[in-house]
Amino acid sequence: MTRDATFEEGAESALALRAETPEDLVVISALVQDAVLPITEIRYDRRTRKLALLVNRFRWEDRDRAKARHRRYERVQSLLVVSDVTGVASQGIDRQDKDTILSILSLAWEPGADGTGRLIVTLAGDGAIAASAECLGVDLRDVTRPYLAPSHHAPNHPD
């Protein structure tokens, strides 16, 4: 005898989201808040016009469930990919220091003329990455199974 999966079991699947509007980007921004990544895990491919960041994302979508079940919080490795990128700039980070660990605070879209604009990745410590793009196209896709958060805690943002 087989049983049907529950709704809750389906919630454990890997995320695969795409933002094409500023409203969509708000969702992805919330999901990558407090994601950390080594500076070495940022790649810009001029040929394919993609900026990719391999991040260790806190699983905000699982926080309440973990708390209710008294289990440890989780992180997951995810690819954050910006499409149709025409240029990338950064400020406040030393790209030569290969030991640097970055922490994402938010993503924002600054619209330009005719649908173009810049995706701004705001980092902790006054750093930022700006990706100029022909249009807004950001993908977030989990690429590993969740793992226990090394800190054992959810990120905390005092008011």
Side-chain angles (χ1 to χ4, degrees), residues 18-143:
R18 179 162 180 83
E20 295 180 340
T21 68
E23 294 78 18
D24 297 340
L25 188 62
V26 170
V27 174
I28 291 179
S29 179
L31 289 166
V32 298
Q33 181 180 14
D34 299 304
V36 294
L37 69 152
I39 200 166
T40 56
E41 295 298 340
I42 301 172
R43 298 282 188 281
Y44 172 49
D45 186 335
R46 282 184 169 82
R47 185 181 57 74
T48 62
R49 299 182 343 145
K50 293 187 186 241
L51 172 66
L53 294 80
L54 180 62
V55 302
N56 296 289
R57 182 178 74 74
F58 181 80
R59 292 190 65 225
W60 288 107
E61 70 276 17
D62 183 61
R63 180 188 62 176
D64 292 343
R65 185 177 17 239
K67 187 175 183 178
R69 293 181 179 172
H70 304 289
R71 66 170 168 76
R72 290 180 46 194
Y73 297 111
E74 296 174 335
R75 285 190 175 265
V76 63
Q77 280 199 318
S78 304
L79 270 174
L80 181 65
V81 180
V82 185
S83 300
D84 299 312
V85 175
T86 58
V88 177
S90 64
Q91 74 175 37
I93 56 176
D94 181 359
R95 294 182 298 185
Q96 303 307 313
D97 184 357
K98 303 301 183 197
D99 294 329
T100 299
I101 302 296
L102 304 172
S103 179
I104 297 175
L105 296 179
S106 66
L107 306 177
W109 177 251
E110 293 180 349
D114 299 327
T116 65
R118 291 187 331 154
L119 178 80
I120 306 297
V121 181
T122 302
L123 305 167
D126 297 326
I129 299 168
S132 298
E134 288 185 359
C135 60
L136 176 54
V138 177
D139 292 283
L140 177 65
R141 182 170 49 94
D142 293 345
V143 294

